[in-house]
Amino acid sequence: MKRKNNKQKTVFSEISASAPQQGGFRLAPHPLTFEEGLYEELRAKVPIIDAAISKIVRLTCGFKLSCDDKSTEQRINDFFATLPVCVSGSSLETFSEIYLDSLLTYGRAFGEILVSSRTHSLSGLYCADCTLYNVRPTENEQGYEIYSILTRERLSTAHPERLLYTAQNPTPKNPSGVSLLRGLPALSSVLMRIYEAVGQNFDRAGNVRYAVTYKPSTENDSAFAKQRAVEIAEQWSDGMAASKAGCIKDFVAVGDVDIKVIGADGIMLDTEIPVRQILEQLIAKLSIPPFLLGLNWSTTERMSSQQADILTSEIDYYRRLLTQAIMKIVRFYCATEGINKRVSVEWDNVNLQDEESLALAALYRAQTAQLEQNLKGVNSYGN
């Protein structure tokens, strides 16, 4: 007997697969919007922006699924630890990292729960390219509809509960979300121009070039000035070629010969202050403490603690967004497996400093409880 086709019915993956391919990369017939193209270019050309987003993703995505029944908790965690995620690997945490990266870069993220057509159970997760889709509100303004940029048509699916969509900082004007990099292209373009100018200056002045000038002292020397200039040029070229070959060769000339380095009198502009001012604006937008990016800026311990608190609050916001998508996946799995236990997401602490603060807070609470108990005992004894 012929085996039944176990192909997973998907929505996002079929649209992405229909995009033209060349060398393994997608070529969308409709180019990215102006802002989306700038966001990709920023991450490619400004390393500090890409490093900041990567660190936010690593600091945010760290969790486990908690349940009152420990056997059920172990079963759920074991399943999601090996769940395939498109072609990027496995585990629910891997999916959340890809999902959050898209959310931070473009302001929105799309995903899909893959279900096996044979067993009708959860078989994988798919994170879609959000630049291929648009979101529009429905007629009653109570929901949303997803449209393909390639076909300009609404995605029709028999199982909308399997689709995942999250928007970051949505506004009435931008209901599909706002990118974390919004507002940075203007500053980054100035920063790139500074770096480009520094590179051009080093190409001109860093690669040392010499100006050899022969000045005839008498009328007799002036008559043979051209011939002597040619001889000086040949000897100078011979000496430079010997230096490149690792040999030291002196240049000997007769007469008034002046040798100067081209550009030695020029003064290089100090770019430290303008570059730092721009980087401060970028880091303020990304809410990343400078020391996490390897920037040795003078700061105090109290200021570093405040910067860490700001980053923690930002990470809490991203985790609230991810929790919605993660819990939708978990609830779908529990429904298909007949699990009626309550499952929640337990996030890891951001860093060791947070663990130390939590430990101190627990100690203070325990000491307070003990003091209150002692006071109650003294009051009852006095009465």
Side-chain angles (χ1 to χ4, degrees):
M1 296 179 64
K2 295 183 179 180
R3 294 182 178 180
K4 294 182 179 180
N5 188 10
N6 192 28
K7 183 180 178 181
Q8 299 170 345
K9 295 182 179 180
T10 61
V11 177
F12 288 123
S13 56
E14 292 178 357
I15 297 296
S16 300
S18 63
Q21 304 285 329
Q22 179 177 350
F25 295 93
R26 175 183 59 81
L27 294 179
H30 301 282
L32 300 177
T33 63
F34 177 73
E35 287 190 356
E36 290 173 350
L38 284 179
Y39 297 154
E40 290 190 356
E41 188 176 1
L42 284 180
R43 294 195 61 174
K45 292 186 176 181
V46 185
I48 195 171
I49 295 178
D50 185 67
I53 293 180
S54 299
K55 283 180 171 55
I56 291 176
V57 171
R58 286 195 293 268
L59 290 172
T60 303
C61 297
F63 63 90
K64 69 176 182 178
L65 301 176
S66 177
C67 181
D68 296 335
D69 188 358
K70 296 303 178 183
S71 60
T72 304
E73 177 181 328
Q74 185 65 32
R75 173 187 172 187
I76 294 175
N77 283 307
D78 291 342
F79 173 80
F80 282 108
T82 57
L83 183 65
V85 180
C86 46
V87 295
S88 303
S90 60
S91 79
L92 183 59
E93 188 170 345
T94 300
F95 171 80
S96 64
E97 291 176 354
I98 303 173
Y99 198 78
L100 179 60
D101 189 275
S102 174
L103 189 63
L104 296 176
T105 305
Y106 302 105
R108 63 187 185 277
F110 294 94
E112 186 176 1
I113 300 174
L114 305 181
V115 177
S116 173
S117 59
R118 180 172 60 87
T119 61
H120 300 287
S121 60
L122 178 59
S123 59
L125 298 173
Y126 183 81
C127 192
D129 183 0
C130 67
T131 61
L132 294 177
Y133 309 96
N134 282 330
V135 173
R136 301 177 187 175
T138 56
E139 294 181 357
N140 57 6
E141 301 292 340
Q142 297 297 325
Y144 61 89
E145 295 175 340
I146 301 177
Y147 287 79
S148 170
I149 295 181
L150 297 177
T151 61
R152 304 290 183 177
E153 298 178 354
R154 183 175 65 88
L155 300 184
S156 59
T157 174
H159 302 281
E161 70 278 1
R162 299 179 186 176
L163 302 182
L164 304 172
Y165 168 67
T166 305
Q168 178 188 218
N169 296 328
T171 62
K173 187 176 182 179
N174 298 286
S176 59
V178 178
S179 171
L180 179 65
L181 305 180
R182 185 182 184 184
L184 297 185
L187 293 175
S188 301
S189 62
V190 176
L191 182 64
M192 295 306 299
R193 286 201 299 270
I194 293 176
Y195 286 155
E196 184 179 359
V198 171
Q200 292 176 351
N201 289 334
F202 270 93
D203 287 339
R204 296 169 179 171
N207 187 9
V208 180
R209 291 171 294 176
Y210 299 91
V212 182
T213 305
Y214 170 64
K215 300 178 181 179
S217 56
T218 61
E219 294 181 359
N220 189 23
D221 293 338
S222 300
F224 300 96
K226 182 177 180 180
Q227 181 181 355
R228 292 183 179 179
V230 172
E231 293 177 355
I232 292 174
E234 292 177 354
Q235 294 298 323
W236 182 262
S237 300
D238 187 21
M240 291 294 102
S243 299
K244 293 181 180 179
C247 302
I248 299 176
K249 186 176 181 180
D250 296 331
F251 173 74
V252 180
V254 178
D256 189 1
V257 179
D258 186 19
I259 301 176
K260 292 183 179 180
V261 177
I262 298 177
D265 297 334
I267 300 177
M268 295 286 291
L269 294 176
D270 186 9
T271 60
E272 181 179 0
I273 295 178
V275 168
R276 175 165 177 171
Q277 290 177 347
I278 296 175
L279 291 180
E280 287 175 350
Q281 297 290 330
L282 298 179
I283 293 174
K285 176 66 176 179
L286 299 173
S287 300
I288 288 288
F291 57 84
L292 288 181
L293 299 174
L295 299 175
N296 298 322
W297 293 350
S298 59
T299 182
T300 62
E301 183 178 357
R302 182 176 180 83
M303 184 181 298
S304 300
S305 178
Q306 292 175 349
Q307 291 173 347
D309 292 340
I310 294 174
L311 176 61
T312 303
S313 64
E314 294 291 329
I315 290 177
D316 290 339
Y317 169 70
Y318 301 140
R319 286 178 171 179
R320 289 195 298 270
L321 296 178
L322 285 179
T323 301
Q324 301 174 10
I326 293 173
M327 289 307 302
K328 186 174 183 178
I329 298 172
V330 173
R331 284 193 294 266
F332 182 88
Y333 169 76
C334 292
T336 55
E337 296 295 326
I339 300 175
N340 56 0
K341 303 293 183 180
R342 184 178 181 273
V343 183
S344 60
V345 180
E346 185 177 340
W347 294 97
D348 298 339
N349 292 328
V350 177
N351 51 33
L352 295 178
Q353 182 179 1
D354 288 346
E355 293 182 0
E356 181 181 0
S357 300
L358 292 175
L360 289 175
L363 175 62
Y364 294 153
R365 286 194 296 267
Q367 292 176 349
T368 303
Q370 184 177 5
L371 289 175
E372 291 177 352
Q373 185 177 3
N374 293 337
L375 290 175
K376 290 181 180 178
V378 171
N379 292 334
S380 61
Y381 178 78
N383 293 334

